[in-house]
């Protein structure tokens, strides 16, 4: 069973400056809820009970968010605002949070390796809070169900326009069941002419713990950073990585455009 979910959250969020100068990008809200809370709720729905968050300098607001705020709760008790904290109180009751700091920002692979101390030697999930997903059955739940059958690393994938391939890890593989691909190749942010397909990895992963040993040996790749895509390629070459085209909607909230789309989508849904 997968009980732990890792959230890399050390990035600077430069695309959202000046908003992210003193506020972690993971705390930017879609309506009234911070991005990372959506991710944590998805992980809880999937059965995870430990949230392992890899933070960095300037990210303390994340820890404060997932904690009780006695003064505030006391202040609004009995008022109309009391219900506004119900969701976050439920989250805090259902799981525990542990944190470690990534001293240097050296890529997603490095962030995941920094989380080893919180995960130990067991399979785990990874959520990139920037990728906000909405689905009837949560994307992580869909992936964990698949993990129970195949017991190997799994990435969520979706079709993208080829001209966007340089924003994603891109896979090649054979469809072994409807929407499930056995991955044979993966390339981090290729130019469109070098992309092995139009299937891009989005920010949901299930990883088997041998990934940590592979990451320790992984040399810096694209952008001089340690890439999880490169480490997963080693597992894929052993026939051990699946890609799943999930059911649901995903918004790239790491971009202004995606962030606005998500805001409009959730606003419309809320008013229906
Ligand atoms: C990361 C991964 C990339 C993946 C993407 C999904 O890139 O390196 O393979 O496709 O997340 O959002 P980033 O967006 O952090 O640059």
């Amino acid at each position: 069973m997968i009980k732990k979910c890792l959230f890399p959250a050390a990035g600077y969020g430069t695309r959202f400056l000046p908003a992210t100068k003193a506020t972690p990008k993971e705390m930017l809200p879609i309506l009234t809820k911070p991005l990372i809370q959506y991710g944590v709720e998805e992980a809880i729905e999937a059965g995870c009970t430990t949230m392992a968050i890899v933070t960095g300098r300037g990210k303390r607001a994340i820890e404060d968010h997932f904690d009780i705020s006695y003064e505030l709760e006391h202040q609004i008790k009995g008022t109309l605002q009391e219900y506004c904290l119900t969701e976050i109180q439920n989250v805090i009751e259902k799981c525990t949070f542990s944190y470690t700091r990534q001293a240097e920002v050296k890529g997603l692979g490095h962030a995941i390796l920094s989380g080893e101390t919180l995960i130990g030697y067991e399979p785990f999930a990874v959520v990139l809070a920037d990728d906000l997903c909405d689905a009837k059955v949560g994307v992580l739940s869909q992936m964990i169900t698949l993990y129970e059958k195949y017991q190997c690393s799994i990435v969520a994938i979706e079709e993208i326009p080829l001209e966007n391939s340089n924003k994603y890890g891109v896979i090649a593989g054979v469809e072994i069941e409807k929407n499930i691909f056995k991955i044979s190749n993966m390339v981090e942010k290729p130019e469109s002419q070098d992309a092995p397909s139009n299937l891009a990895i989005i920010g949901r992963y299930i990883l088997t713990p041998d990934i940590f040993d592979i990451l320790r040996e992984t040399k810096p790749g694209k952008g001089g950073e340690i890439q999880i895509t490169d480490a997963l390629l080693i597992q894929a070459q052993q026939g051990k990585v699946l890609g799943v085209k999930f059911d649901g909607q995903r918004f790239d909230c790491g971009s202004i455009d995606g962030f606005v789309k998500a805001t409009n989508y959730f606003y419309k849904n809320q008013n229906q």
Side-chain angles (χ1 to χ4, degrees), residues 131-143:
D131 278 331
L132 176 54
C133 293
D134 186 46
K136 263 206 203 96
V137 175
V139 176
L140 220 48
S141 281
Q142 297 174 37
M143 294 170 77

Side-chain angles (χ1 to χ4, degrees), residues 108 128 131 167-169 188-189 200-203 205 227-229 250:
L108 180 56
L128 308 186
D131 278 331
K167 295 185 187 150
Y168 298 95
E188 181 66 9
K189 305 198 171 90
I201 302 169
I202 67 116
Y205 304 78
Q227 300 293 351
I228 188 65
T229 306
R250 166 254 176 191

Side-chain angles (χ1 to χ4, degrees), residues 115-131:
E116 181 182 19
T117 174
L118 305 176
I119 300 292
Y121 202 81
E122 58 183 275
F124 61 102
V126 177
V127 167
L128 308 186
D130 278 0
D131 278 331

Side-chain angles (χ1 to χ4, degrees), residues 176-188:
I176 54 167
E177 269 184 55
K178 189 164 187 288
N179 293 333
I180 298 167
F181 293 73
K182 186 169 177 181
I183 295 181
S184 55
N185 192 12
M186 45 210 309
V187 186
E188 181 66 9

Side-chain angles (χ1 to χ4, degrees), residues 173-227:
V174 181
E175 195 165 13
I176 54 167
E177 269 184 55
K178 189 164 187 288
N179 293 333
I180 298 167
F181 293 73
K182 186 169 177 181
I183 295 181
S184 55
N185 192 12
M186 45 210 309
V187 186
E188 181 66 9
K189 305 198 171 90
E191 291 308 322
S192 54
Q193 67 274 15
D194 303 322
S197 77
N198 67 342
L199 293 173
I201 302 169
I202 67 116
R204 299 289 182 280
Y205 304 78
I206 304 292
L207 300 174
T208 52
D210 54 309
I211 200 74
F212 293 128
D213 290 328
I214 301 174
L215 277 169
R216 258 185 282 283
E217 302 296 320
T218 302
K219 301 270 176 299
K222 192 86 185 179
E225 298 190 324
I226 297 173
Q227 300 293 351

